[in-house]
Every structure is written in C-alpha cells, then in structure tokens.
Amino acid sequence: MKGLVIGAGQLGAMMGEVAWRLGIELWRYCPDTHRYFFGTEMDARGDTGPVDFDWVTAERELLPQTPFHGVLLNLATYQLVSDRLPQKKLYDQLGLPTAPWGELKTGESADALLAKLGTRLVVKARQGGYDGKGQWRVSEPGFVSEADCIGEAMIPFSREVSIVGVRGADGRKLFYPVVENVHQDGILVETLAPAPEAGKWQAEAERILGTLMDHLQYVGVMAVELFDCGDKLLINEMAPRVHNSGHWSQDGANVCQFELHLRAVAGLPLPEKLSWVPTRMDNLIGVALDYQWLAGNGKVHWYNKEPRPGRKVGHINTLL
Amino acid sequence: MKGLVIGAGQLGAMMGEVAWRLGIELWRYCPDTHRYFFGTEMDARGDTGPVDFDWVTAERELLPQTPFHGVLLNLATYQLVSDRLPQKKLYDQLGLPTAPWGELKTGESADALLAKLGTRLVVKARQGGYDGKGQWRVSEPGFVSEADCIGEAMIPFSREVSIVGVRGADGRKLFYPVVENVHQDGILVETLAPAPEAGKWQAEAERILGTLMDHLQYVGVMAVELFDCGDKLLINEMAPRVHNSGHWSQDGANVCQFELHLRAVAGLPLPEKLSWVPTRMDNLIGVALDYQWLAGNGKVHWYNKEPRPGRKVGHINTLL
Ligand SMILES: Nc1ncnc2c1ncn2[C@@H]1O[C@H](COP(=O)(O)OP(=O)(O)OP(=O)(O)O)[C@@H](O)[C@H]1O
Ligand SMILES: Nc1ncnc2c1ncn2[C@@H]1O[C@H](COP(=O)(O)OP(=O)(O)OP(=O)(O)O)[C@@H](O)[C@H]1O
Ligand SMILES: [Mg+2]
Ligand SMILES: [Mg+2]
Ligand SMILES: [Mg+2]
Ligand SMILES: [Mg+2]
C-alpha cells in the first residue's frame, strides 16, 4: 500500500516512523517546494514521486493548491478549519461552547469588539497562525487590525486541556483521555496525559470532538484545544490532524495517534479500544540535540531539524 | 552520528525504526551479498555505503569475514557464542547452570553420550542453527552425527523463560523482567512479559546474564534462554544481540531493546531504570500480511518480508 502526506514536517515524518511496520510505503510532499520525501527522511528524494497513491492525507490544514487536491481526503474540513472565521461560525452553528468572538477586518478598529466582549481581547489572524504567531493582545482602545482577523474575549481559564480522537470511514470514533497542556509564549511546552481529574471532562470533550468529526464526516485523527473554566469547557481551536498534545501516545498508549490516523485514512481497521498509561510529554524547543537527555527515563523523539529559537525540534515522553 | 549493523534482517531494521528519532543515521550491511541497506528499508541501496561509521554492531553472531571486523564491537563474543562448543564450555568455566552436555564430532556415534546423559538427547550442530534447525532428537542407540555437534540431555523443564538485559561500556547493567516463552516446532511463537511468577527467578536470571556480560566485557543487549525446572534454572543458550523474546519491549517498556542496544554500542547514556507494563508478544510465522489483525488491540509489527513456511515475518504486541 502506498500513501502520501502533504507537508514535509515532523508530523508526517512521525507517520513515516509507523508506516514501515504496517507494510505501508509512505511518501511526503512539500506543497511549497514541490519536493517528495520518503518515510522519515528530512532530505528530499527529488521533485518527482510515485503517482499511484492509494490515498492522500495532510499534516496541516492550510495548503496551497496541489496536484493532489482532487483526491485529498478531508479537503473541505481543511478549507473550513484553516480560516478562523468559518471555524468559529461552525462552533456557533453546532451550538458548541467557544470563547465569545467577533470578526475584525483589515483596517478595522477593535474598539467596538472590546466594548462588547470585555476588558481584554485576543486578536488572531484568520489564516496561518500557529505557536501563538499572528496574535495580538488588546486591552486598550485604539487597536487597528492589520490583517483579516477574529477577536476573542480573553478567557480567564483555570487550565488548558485538549482531546485527540479518531473517526473511521464507517463513523466509528475512539478517544484518548483529556490531557492538560502547558503553554509558554503561545507554544505548547508540556502535556500531561491523562489530565488530573480528566474524568470530569471526558464525556463533554468527547461530545464536542465527536460532534465536529461527525458533522464534517471527517476521517482520521482530530484534536480540539479547550479552555477549562472550572464550570465549563470552551473550545479554543480545532486541528484536523495529528496534534502535538497527542505525541505522548507514541509511548503511553496501545496505539499512537500517528498510527490511528494512517489506519483511518488508509481504510484499515481501527483498534477495538484505546488504552494508556500516565505519560508526560515535554517539548524540545529551539535547542540542540543533547544525548544527556537519554540519562533520564524518558523516550527521546528528535525530529532531525535544525534548531532555531522557538522552533519545535523534538519531544520527550516519560511514563509516570 | 552514523552507525552500521551487520546483517540485513528484521532485527537491524527494527534498530533502524528507532534510529531516526535518536538522530542516528543507521545503515545495515549484508555480509553475504555485500549490499548496504538504509534505516528500515528492505531494498538495498547498493553495494557501496558510507565509510565513516562511528560504530559497527551486528544483528547476528555467526558472521563471515567482513571489511568491518577490525572495528566490530563484541567480535570476540560473537566468535565464542556462534559455536555451541566454546559457548557450553564457558558456562561450565563460569560455574553457570546449563543442560548437561558433551561433544559429538562428525561421524561419531551418540551411544556413549546417550548412556552418560540419560534416555534422550538433543543433538545440536555447533554452528548455524536457529529456530530449531540443525537439531536432532535422539532416544535410541545407533545415531551417528553428520556434523560437528554437541549433545545435550533432554531437559524435562516445566517451562521456558528468558531474560534480556543491556550492559553499557562503563559496565552498568539493566535488565527486563524474566519472560515466559512458548515454542512450537522449535520456533518461538509467544512471549509473556513478565513471566507469571517472574519474581521467583529474576535475581538468579540477572546473576546468570550479568555474569556472562561482565566476563565477556560485552557492550549492548544480550539474551539468555533458560529452562525453568521448578527448583532451578538451566541455561539453554545465549544470544549476544537483540532477541525475539525482547520484542514485547517495543510497546510494553519505557525503552525498548533495540534502542537500548543502539545506545550502548553508540556510547550514549542508558536510562536510569527500565519500567514496563504486562505485554504479550505473538509471532507471525509464514503468513501473509492481514490487516484484520489491526481490529484487535495489539500493535502490529510487520517486517516487510516475503512469507515462507516457518519464516518469522512479523509480531503483534498486546498490552495486557
Ligand atoms: N481567547 C483566549 N483567551 C485566553 N488565552 C488565549 C485565548 N486564545 C488563545 N489563548 C492563548 O494563546 C495560546 C495560543 O492560541 P491558539 O491556540 O489560538 O494559537 P495557535 O497559534 O493556533 O496555537 P497552536 O500552535 O496550538 O496551533 C493558547 O493556547 C492560549 O494559551
Ligand atoms: N536440552 C534440551 N532439552 C529440552 N528441550 C530442548 C533442549 N534444547 C533445546 N530444546 C528445545 O528446542 C528449542 C530450540 O532449541 P535452541 O534454543 O537450542 O535452538 P535454536 O535453533 O538456537 O533456537 P533460537 O531460534 O532460539 O536461536 C528450545 O527452545 C527448546 O524448546
Ligand atoms: Mg492553531
Ligand atoms: Mg492552539
Ligand atoms: Mg539459537
Ligand atoms: Mg533458542
């Protein structure tokens, strides 16, 4: 079986790690440079690849046009989610709880939205943001948007959590436990799986993610980031792909998210059930490879990328 | 870092699976066909490879001469263990318990040995046997050996167990729990980790394996297969390499045997401790890839080899 992942980053490479032992020949395609990569390799094989893929998926939702769009699974979901405006509208349409929000066009003042939503706003570019990039905190009148954005009420959450799950082509869904995520400067630095008191929110988080996957008829792994407000969960954003807060599953679960995604998009059976052991994931951000990390008890996952400040270059999973 | 494994089978390929996320460029070399393989690939890249390997290890102990013998780690151990005669002598020399045995040269009658050791013998070719090949059961006088062999007393064991451990260059050792192994027709079919009542034999098994590794100044992963006789353990054989009865560790332990071996031979830190959850490994023998295996809860490891009767083509690890 031959599959393709659009995108040439670590998420696809980690699918490549799993592919071999499932008998899947996995290629990756960079839609920006038009180069093909094989398996986990970070050096391109060239600018031609096989043409007879059995299926095509992606590791990110914002994609330029590619030669594979005609057969790309979940394309409509990518197009919807890659723009925060229709994404937020979807939550409202489905009656799912999310941080209160409004639209903010290029050149528009945030004053009215600030007055309406509270004392602090988080303004986010509609497209292209990740790791907290493309965001502005607004607490004073006078802010004028320099991009097409949405503005959200700043939520005084008690913590951030997320849920990762999978939906098969037959509509069957499986979920990992709710996990707790710690961010620094907008970047995920640590995930605790399960989150302390995960049980409190498991059903509600599954309801939210399950509703989204079913409505979109999505096939594969999806994640939802949530603000835990003590008495309620609010959706922050969704990611129609494997997600950093699911990386712990490589070492802490019977089947990891990368394998689940491959199995779903390839039309292979999903497992009967997911099981797991308590695991902590620590991101490696902007640092050089240091083999002293191995002296602990964690499992080091190095992405073979050049370290740059703020760049995710690996993670360590530790069974607790 | 660049490393080489001599041998082009699944054991090296599974080291290749681990190598990427440790930032190790792992090549494999087939000493029979003189071809080089990369990572997990089962198709050769060609008959030339890099020359600047930081270290060279092997996935099997019986090796023809190679261009890498001068730098091959643990060479003396491979030479000793690949011949059952010095291997058995070593156990006696170190006072380690093993099945009673004697030498049996080509053309020699087994009658004297049979009379000395009991009513049944297991005759084993000194070199090249695996999966029960190169063995003869002898219970009647008149057997004449057709190869250079050893003959062992047939042991009425209550079960077969094994232990896998690692020794670093600094002499530090770590051990997995004693596991129980079920064989059919001389081939391992199932491993249960830990073995039921593993605690009863853990210290003794660690003493045996530890004594061997220390004496040989071995660096890397080593396994010892043992007969559990109820009141004592007897060594069946040792394997100076990653071992089929350690495959469960890929999914049931904090660090798997393939990673431990790479770390030891590469001079990288070993973990502080090993931890695990109960896991069963089932070998896939001589069967075609069947994705219905995925419908269970196990993790499928397919070796991407052509199925042939009696050939190990994969395994499934199930957390219990
Ligand atoms: N409405 C909000 N109220 C409070 N904090 C917020 C809000 N929106 C975002 N944040 C904080 O900023 C972080 C990044 O925001 P968000 O997840 O929307 O950005 P991103 O760049 O898409 O991140 P990712 O890398 O997860 O895709 C959040 O994890 C949270 O800590
Ligand atoms: N002395 C013995 N008494 C009883 N059974 C034995 C004896 N020696 C071997 N056996 C049986 O035969 C099996 C294979 O023997 P052994 O492990 O020596 O062979 P091998 O071909 O080297 O196997 P491997 O594939 O593990 O390398 C053992 O696991 C055990 O079941
Ligand atoms: Mg985002
Ligand atoms: Mg986010
Ligand atoms: Mg053997
Ligand atoms: Mg054996």
Side-chain angles (χ1 to χ4, degrees), chain A residues 17 20-23 40-41 45 254 263 268-273 291 294-297 299-302 304, chain B residues 17 20-23 40-41 45 254 263 268-269 271-273 291 294-297 299-302 304:
Chain A
E17 261 191 298
W20 178 74
R21 65 172 171 74
L22 295 179
T40 57
E41 295 171 11
R45 286 275 177 108
N254 64 328
R263 284 160 66 164
L268 304 178
L270 296 178
E272 215 176 289
K273 66 180 175 74
Y291 281 123
L294 296 172
N297 291 313
K299 213 147 154 184
V300 172
H301 295 261
W302 180 252
N304 295 279
Chain B
E17 260 192 300
W20 177 75
R21 65 172 172 74
L22 294 179
T40 55
E41 294 170 12
R45 285 274 179 109
N254 64 328
R263 283 159 67 163
L268 304 178
E272 215 176 287
K273 66 179 175 71
Y291 281 123
L294 296 172
N297 292 312
K299 215 146 148 181
V300 172
H301 295 261
W302 179 252
N304 295 278

Side-chain angles (χ1 to χ4, degrees), chain B:
Chain B
M1 177 185 290
K2 214 173 281 179
L4 183 74
V5 180
I6 301 183
Q10 66 262 23
L11 300 180
M14 287 188 275
M15 292 183 212
E17 260 192 300
V18 168
W20 177 75
R21 65 172 172 74
L22 294 179
I24 297 173
E25 188 182 319
L26 193 75
W27 290 81
R28 293 144 54 222
Y29 170 76
C30 176
D32 311 311
T33 63
H34 309 288
R35 292 182 307 170
Y36 290 80
F37 298 74
F38 183 71
T40 55
E41 294 170 12
M42 300 309 264
D43 291 326
R45 285 274 179 109
D47 53 14
T48 52
V51 287
D52 53 339
F53 293 110
D54 296 294
W55 42 265
V56 181
T57 184
E59 61 163 16
R60 62 190 218 204
E61 52 274 24
L62 183 60
L63 294 167
Q65 186 65 31
T66 73
F68 304 102
H69 268 52
V71 290
L72 177 57
L73 290 158
N74 301 309
L75 177 60
T77 299
Y78 296 147
Q79 287 169 339
L80 187 147
V81 174
S82 60
D83 185 337
R84 290 188 194 268
L85 184 66
Q87 189 189 136
K88 281 293 223 179
K89 284 184 175 162
L90 178 67
Y91 304 141
D92 290 350
Q93 173 196 338
L94 295 175
L96 295 176
T98 189
W101 67 283
E103 194 179 346
L104 207 57
K105 295 210 173 82
T106 308
E108 200 176 335
S109 159
D111 292 2
L113 206 58
L114 189 61
K116 184 178 155 207
L117 295 181
T119 56
R120 290 184 75 190
L121 289 184
V122 181
V123 174
K124 303 179 179 180
R126 279 172 54 176
Q127 287 206 322
Y130 68 97
D131 288 349
K133 297 190 219 300
Q135 294 194 7
W136 299 265
R137 265 56 179 167
V138 176
S139 50
E140 314 259 307
F143 179 88
V144 174
S145 186
E146 35 180 273
D148 282 346
C149 288
I150 60 154
E152 290 180 356
M154 169 79 81
I155 304 297
F157 52 78
S158 58
R159 60 174 181 174
E160 293 188 82
V161 298
S162 63
I163 183 164
V164 174
V166 66
R167 183 176 180 275
D170 60 355
R172 196 161 77 90
K173 296 181 288 294
L174 292 165
F175 300 94
Y176 291 112
V178 169
V179 300
E180 179 170 338
N181 300 314
V182 181
H183 292 82
Q184 263 168 25
D185 307 322
I187 308 181
L188 180 68
V189 292
E190 185 185 304
T191 294
L192 207 60
E197 298 180 75
K200 179 181 171 191
W201 289 125
Q202 191 65 29
E204 170 67 353
E206 291 187 10
R207 181 187 75 86
I208 291 171
L209 177 52
T211 301
L212 288 166
M213 292 197 290
D214 282 341
H215 173 81
L216 294 163
Q217 297 198 40
Y218 181 80
V219 174
V221 164
M222 184 180 278
V224 177
E225 301 176 11
L226 301 147
F227 299 130
D228 180 353
C229 303
D231 58 343
K232 62 174 183 287
L233 288 183
L234 292 179
I235 300 176
N236 171 27
E237 59 170 354
M238 62 194 284
R241 53 174 166 79
V242 290
H243 191 258
N244 197 167
S245 74
H247 289 3
W248 67 274
S249 65
Q250 292 174 311
D251 301 299
N254 64 328
V255 184
C256 75
Q257 65 168 351
F258 302 97
E259 177 166 347
L260 283 184
H261 187 74
L262 287 183
R263 283 159 67 163
V265 297
L268 304 178
L270 296 180
E272 215 176 287
K273 66 179 175 71
L274 294 178
S275 59
W276 50 81
V277 290
T279 306
R280 191 185 69 236
M281 190 244 17
D282 293 286
N283 266 339
L284 300 168
I285 299 169
V287 291
L289 176 58
D290 178 359
Y291 281 123
Q292 281 312 312
W293 296 327
L294 296 172
N297 292 312
K299 215 146 148 181
V300 172
H301 295 261
W302 179 252
Y303 306 155
N304 295 278
K305 287 163 60 172
E306 214 48 61
R308 285 202 291 264
R311 190 181 206 201
K312 291 174 181 167
V313 288
H315 64 275
I316 298 179
N317 289 334
T318 306
L319 305 195
L320 301 174

Side-chain angles (χ1 to χ4, degrees), chain A residues 100-104 108-123 138-143 151-154:
Chain A
W101 68 283
E103 192 179 349
L104 207 58
E108 202 177 332
S109 159
D111 291 3
L113 206 58
L114 189 59
K116 184 179 155 204
L117 296 180
T119 56
R120 289 184 76 190
L121 289 184
V122 182
V123 174
V138 176
S139 50
E140 312 261 304
F143 178 87
E152 290 180 357
M154 169 79 82

